Amino acid sequence: MRKFRYLLYKDYLLLKRDVAGLLLMFLMPAILVVLMALLQESTFQSIADVSVPMMLVNHDKGELGSTIDREVEASGIFKITRDIDGSIPTLEELEKEVASSRYVIGIYIPENTTESIRRNVARYVLATFSGATDLPPMDNVNFVVFVDPTTKASFYATIMSTLKEKTQKIEFTYIMNEITRQVNEISPIPISTLGFAGEQVHIDIRDARLQGKDLVPNPVQHNIPAWSLFAIFFVVISLSGSIIRERQDGSFSRLLTMPCSYTEYLLSKAFTFIVVCLIQFGLMLLIGVFVMPLFGLDSLNLGTSPLALILLALSAAVSAIGYGIAIGNIANTYHQSSVFGAISVVIMAAIGGIWIPTFIMSEPMRKIGMLSPLHWGLSGFLDVFLLDAGVRAVLPECGVMLLFGLVCFAIAVSFNYRRRLDV
Amino acid sequence: MENKFAIETVNLKKTYKGKSHPTLNGLSLRIPYGSLFGLLAPNGAGKTTAINIICGLRKYDSGKVFVDGHDQSDGMKAIKPLLGLVPQDIALFPTLTAYENLKILGGLYGIKKSVLEERIDQLLELFDLSASRHSYINRFSGGMKRRVNMIAGMLHAPGILILDEPTVGVDAQSRMMILEKLTEINRSGTTILFISHYLEEAEHICNEVAFMDDGSVICQGSPADLIRAYTPCDSMESIYLKLTGKRMRDTQ
């Protein structure tokens, strides 16, 4: 333990003395998080070429439900699924599907929607012809639209306006046709429909939530974890560089001639840089909570499970450190490690959904994206920040990230063993 | 049977992956206790490979390595505390001070803090570096770095000190000082394996030398005995050139 303390002291001093490196490690991510959160807030994202996964549950046996189904599909924006393993889902099942991020949007058209509207129109027509001054009570007709709260705000706004426009147009056309039909049945004399409100169907838009959870999503909730993860992974450059420098200047070999094992050497590096990652992540969260409101954005809501948050941050740090150690052992020069490290982290961020949501990616790309630890990290953090998930809910994400880190660590040890000892 | 050798290699063979020519081709080396032993060889003859194998930094294909009677194939645990390596590279942390470097490296040997601090003070004094103890290594001259590099290998008072080109790139004053201190340390009972390109240095301080070429020892003895044996050669350099020729080895 005393030896390990000296190794930690060495890594701590080396970090502390590299003031420029430390500034880059903390200042750059902070700037990145603030800028990206601000930029993404105001960026309009086109969804013209996007196929948004949607689950459409139509319990209405009438004409309105099928027309909405047909028209939404004809828009070409949505990739529609209508059942789960052959059965039509209930409202609760639909919410669960959307909350689990399998679909971005879920539309629920209740039973007898067409019939209810037809009855409302009949009551209105009858009241108008009987000379009543007050409109009769109407049946409630509620569509429910669930939205995955992890959907980026700009996409959310665009998708919802497109959806509203479609459904209202269909609804209005249908009601006008129905009024005309029913009036013609009673009298050939044309009547005015000005007193009848076109919006008989109320669209109830809800954020899909896991049972009993109640957090309000905002862009900060999406952007802070995404860019913080990205920043955590940039520790790869500093860590791999430190391993390569020590290998090249001979201090690594000197350490191994002392009573210090390679595992102890790596553990000391890993421990020191994990602490750096955790401090870095804490700083990003503080920026989300206290600095973002200064720019007119919402404050970051940290969810209700600090333990889940710590577990996720630790797992993300382990995966980043494992990756950094692997690069440090595989690369021959500092130049190789810095270029490969930086580019590979950008690629992992891109396929992992940090820049663009994974749902707009093609199916093969979505599958490839699952190889990125950033994908799992982001998914876990969004669960905590948006769905108010606890420790149990984020265990799969933590497990994948830890596994990624450990596999990288094993690759590093095996590679180092073969190269160093020439076996 | 009593072991007479601090380091002994028996028919050591090593061929690097991807190479057809062996770097060590049956190296048998015997370094007696208490000697100041010079290992002399052209570039690419396998000196560094031999040191790396003795220190456990490389695996070998066949043969045996014994350090203080311990068979290296049984593991390095018993051997590591006995060895002090002063590598050719300045294997120090440049952004740390001389004192911080020595404290960390000494600490890894598990030396008690008070004992370690006393030892660092003594060695800094011995190598005339006390005034620069809290200066950063990257601000040291080449000679000062070499001296700290040497101290780092001696902090745990090893029984066997291995020095790979300890005087490369230093001025005459620093070189003289390093050689004097090595002689003093050897007199106090430490076995020293000294590797150098400067043959006059070896002739001056070593009590036994071995010439190595193409991965094996081609002759071994005290400088005086070798000069007598290879008459009319009158120096280590002339014997060296006679034995190894003028062909470049490191271009193979």
Side-chain angles (χ1 to χ4, degrees):
Chain A
M1 195 60 202
R2 183 190 287 175
K3 279 188 296 177
F4 191 65
R5 274 212 314 270
Y6 277 105
L7 282 172
L8 285 177
Y9 180 57
K10 174 208 57 148
D11 287 318
Y12 160 71
L13 282 181
L14 289 174
L15 259 183
K16 200 178 88 171
R17 294 287 153 73
D18 185 10
V19 178
L22 269 180
L23 271 179
L24 285 175
M25 231 183 282
F26 289 104
L27 202 60
M28 292 305 287
I31 294 169
L32 180 80
V33 164
V34 172
L35 275 180
M36 294 313 288
L38 288 170
L39 286 171
Q40 289 208 334
E41 168 72 6
S42 56
T43 303
F44 175 79
Q45 304 254 17
S46 166
I47 60 159
D49 301 323
V50 164
S51 189
V52 180
M54 169 194 276
M55 174 161 269
L56 199 152
V57 179
N58 180 14
H59 283 288
D60 180 31
K61 303 280 185 272
E63 194 185 337
L64 184 62
S66 58
T67 307
I68 287 175
D69 189 331
R70 202 170 48 243
E71 289 288 324
V72 169
E73 181 158 38
S75 73
I77 297 170
F78 304 100
K79 183 184 165 192
I80 302 174
T81 305
R82 293 177 179 82
D83 55 54
I84 304 170
D85 299 329
S87 65
I88 308 288
T90 62
L91 186 68
E92 291 71 29
E93 285 168 340
L94 175 65
E95 179 168 24
K96 201 174 157 195
E97 287 293 303
V98 178
S100 310
S101 296
R102 278 190 276 275
Y103 300 94
V104 174
I105 290 191
I107 297 182
Y108 186 85
I109 305 172
E111 277 180 15
N112 303 322
T113 300
T114 303
E115 196 46 46
S116 298
I117 290 180
R118 193 166 280 166
R119 271 201 301 272
N120 286 350
V121 171
R123 283 184 198 127
Y124 165 75
V125 170
L126 202 63
T128 305
F129 275 82
S130 64
T133 50
D134 296 326
L135 285 174
M138 301 286 181
D139 289 355
N140 283 331
V141 183
N142 279 329
F143 282 11
V144 181
V145 177
F146 290 113
V147 183
D148 178 3
T150 62
T151 312
K152 283 188 188 295
S154 45
F155 276 91
Y156 176 96
T158 315
I159 291 167
M160 287 319 299
S161 71
T162 308
L163 192 64
K164 266 187 180 174
E165 189 190 329
K166 287 271 171 213
T167 51
Q168 281 174 2
K169 194 175 158 193
I170 297 163
E171 176 203 344
F172 188 73
T173 308
Y174 176 78
I175 288 168
M176 290 313 290
N177 289 343
E178 191 61 24
I179 289 174
T180 307
R181 192 181 65 80
Q182 295 213 15
V183 166
N184 285 341
E185 276 181 14
I186 297 168
S187 163
I189 303 163
I191 57 154
S192 163
T193 56
L194 286 174
F196 188 78
E199 292 185 6
Q200 284 291 298
V201 179
H202 175 247
I203 299 178
D204 180 10
I205 298 168
R206 305 177 193 173
D207 289 307
R209 293 186 182 135
L210 295 176
Q211 216 171 7
K213 312 288 184 182
D214 194 25
L215 275 176
V216 180
N218 62 55
V220 173
Q221 304 287 98
H222 302 125
N223 292 328
I224 295 287
W227 296 107
S228 300
L229 268 170
F230 188 55
I232 280 182
F233 268 79
F234 262 88
V235 83
V236 161
I237 296 167
S238 177
L239 172 58
S240 59
S242 135
I243 291 172
I244 287 169
R245 265 195 304 273
E246 287 182 11
R247 195 171 70 221
Q248 287 180 339
D249 68 19
S251 47
F252 169 68
S253 290
R254 164 168 259 163
L255 290 174
L256 294 188
T257 64
M258 298 177 162
C260 160
S261 69
Y262 180 60
T263 312
E264 285 172 315
Y265 169 82
L266 281 190
L267 283 178
S268 158
K269 282 251 175 278
F271 187 85
T272 310
F273 278 86
I274 282 174
V275 171
V276 168
C277 287
L278 292 180
I279 295 173
Q280 202 183 46
F281 190 72
L283 187 70
M284 300 302 121
L285 295 189
L286 290 176
I287 287 173
V289 174
F290 298 109
V291 178
M292 299 321 281
L294 302 178
F295 290 96
L297 298 182
D298 294 311
S299 176
L300 176 70
N301 188 327
L302 296 176
T304 53
S305 176
L307 194 61
L309 211 52
I310 291 168
L311 203 61
L312 276 168
L314 195 64
S315 307
V318 168
S319 65
I321 300 304
Y323 189 57
I325 286 175
I327 290 179
N329 278 281
I330 294 168
N332 287 317
T333 62
Y334 183 72
H335 183 69
Q336 277 180 9
S337 78
S338 56
V339 171
F340 180 79
I343 293 176
S344 62
V345 168
V346 168
I347 291 171
M348 287 199 295
I351 63 172
I354 301 293
W355 288 350
I356 48 168
T358 47
F359 68 76
I360 69 162
M361 294 176 188
S362 63
E363 192 58 30
M365 277 313 292
R366 232 177 288 176
K367 282 186 178 152
I368 292 171
M370 291 175 85
L371 295 173
S372 166
L374 281 94
H375 163 79
W376 295 95
L378 183 60
S379 164
F381 281 118
L382 291 179
D383 283 352
V384 173
F385 290 155
L386 296 168
L387 303 175
D388 209 6
V391 171
R392 187 178 289 229
V394 299
L395 282 180
E397 281 92 346
C398 292
V400 175
M401 285 191 285
L402 288 173
L403 185 68
F404 179 87
L406 292 176
V407 167
C408 287
F409 198 83
I411 290 171
V413 171
S414 151
F415 202 90
N416 180 276
Y417 179 77
R418 284 164 186 275
R419 180 157 66 184
R420 180 165 54 88
L421 298 173
D422 192 59
V423 289
Chain B
M1 194 175 71
E2 194 188 347
N3 173 49
K4 291 179 185 170
F5 303 105
I7 298 172
E8 184 180 8
T9 68
V10 183
N11 200 23
L12 205 56
K13 289 185 180 172
K14 169 72 183 176
T15 304
Y16 283 102
K17 271 187 180 171
K19 299 264 182 183
S20 55
H21 192 74
T23 303
L24 295 184
N25 193 14
L27 178 73
S28 292
L29 195 62
R30 290 175 157 188
I31 301 174
Y33 281 112
S35 61
L36 205 167
F37 191 97
L39 185 61
L40 312 172
N43 289 335
K47 300 184 299 279
T48 304
T49 300
I51 293 174
N52 283 342
I53 287 175
I54 291 166
C55 293
L57 294 172
R58 287 255 188 257
K59 291 269 185 215
Y60 48 92
D61 302 331
S62 63
K64 281 279 180 193
V65 179
F66 298 96
V67 177
D68 193 30
H70 298 283
D71 187 341
Q72 206 212 54
S73 59
D74 294 338
M76 287 297 294
K77 198 175 176 186
I79 295 175
K80 278 185 172 183
L82 302 171
L83 291 177
L85 174 67
V86 179
Q88 187 176 348
D89 298 319
I90 304 293
L92 299 166
F93 305 105
T95 53
L96 307 191
T97 66
Y99 187 79
E100 286 166 346
N101 265 283
L102 297 174
K103 195 174 168 185
I104 288 164
L105 295 172
L108 289 173
Y109 283 102
I111 306 169
K112 206 173 150 195
K113 196 178 167 194
S114 57
V115 176
L116 177 62
E117 284 171 352
E118 197 180 323
R119 178 87 179 142
I120 292 172
D121 289 343
Q122 279 172 0
L123 288 169
L124 286 172
E125 184 67 37
L126 183 70
F127 282 91
D128 201 16
L129 286 167
S130 291
S132 310
R133 59 195 286 133
H134 294 304
S135 298
Y136 295 116
I137 293 294
N138 55 14
R139 294 188 189 154
F140 276 24
S141 70
M144 289 165 84
K145 285 179 188 170
R146 285 266 162 224
R147 273 137 64 198
V148 180
N149 201 32
M150 278 187 66
I151 295 174
M154 297 158 53
L155 285 166
H156 59 300
I160 303 162
L161 188 60
I162 301 174
L163 301 107
D164 190 0
E165 307 279 3
T167 56
V168 162
V170 300
D171 58 26
Q173 286 83 0
S174 287
R175 182 183 300 175
M176 189 61 70
M177 179 191 227
I178 289 170
L179 296 178
E180 273 175 18
K181 299 304 173 196
L182 282 181
T183 312
E184 275 178 40
I185 292 161
N186 176 243
R187 278 197 203 112
S188 70
T190 307
T191 304
I192 294 178
L193 171 57
F194 178 77
I195 291 143
S196 177
H197 279 109
Y198 300 109
L199 300 174
E200 71 279 17
E201 282 181 4
E203 188 174 343
H204 179 62
I205 66 164
C206 294
N207 44 41
E208 188 160 350
V209 296
F211 288 103
M212 192 179 158
D213 198 14
D214 283 332
S216 60
V217 171
I218 50 175
C219 81
Q220 185 172 339
S222 72
D225 287 347
L226 288 177
I227 288 171
R228 266 197 299 277
Y230 287 91
T231 310
C233 295
D234 57 356
S235 67
M236 298 304 287
E237 187 163 328
S238 54
I239 298 172
Y240 176 83
L241 285 171
K242 182 184 169 70
L243 291 172
T244 59
K246 293 181 179 171
R247 180 173 51 89
M248 297 293 175
R249 306 302 201 280
D250 53 2
T251 52
Q252 285 177 352

